[in-house]
Amino acid sequence: MAKIKTKTHSGAKKRFKMTASGKVKYQKTNKRHRLTQKDTKRKRIARTVGIADCTNAPALKKLMPYL
């Protein structure tokens, strides 16, 4: 019997990517609008890539089985 393919979660597909070592990376928040009133330090920190915590990573990998 053929294996049933699982569907990739569309929201997770847009928000997360996998690194080469298997970690889940995402883009930090607060970098979209109203940037003039935000502190420069806050905007600089928001530019960096975030790595998902080890407690959340297995759940995120389940949402993206083929990525």
Side-chain angles (χ1 to χ4, degrees):
M1 185 176 222
K3 182 181 175 188
I4 299 171
K5 290 177 73 175
T6 56
K7 290 192 175 182
T8 304
H9 191 277
S10 297
K13 185 170 51 177
K14 295 168 190 171
R15 289 170 175 82
F16 302 105
K17 288 197 171 28
M18 299 292 288
T19 62
S21 61
K23 295 180 181 178
V24 180
K25 69 178 183 176
Y26 64 92
Q27 191 61 48
K28 300 233 180 129
T29 59
N30 296 321
K31 200 70 170 78
R32 292 290 180 211
H33 57 89
R34 289 172 49 183
L35 296 173
T36 54
Q37 64 192 17
K38 290 177 186 166
D39 190 40
T40 311
K41 181 179 178 181
R42 185 173 164 190
K43 292 187 282 187
R44 185 174 62 245
I45 291 169
R47 276 199 299 259
T48 62
V49 171
I51 302 293
D53 192 56
C54 60
T55 55
N56 296 326
L60 292 171
K61 287 178 183 177
K62 261 187 198 174
L63 296 175
M64 308 179 299
Y66 303 113
L67 299 179

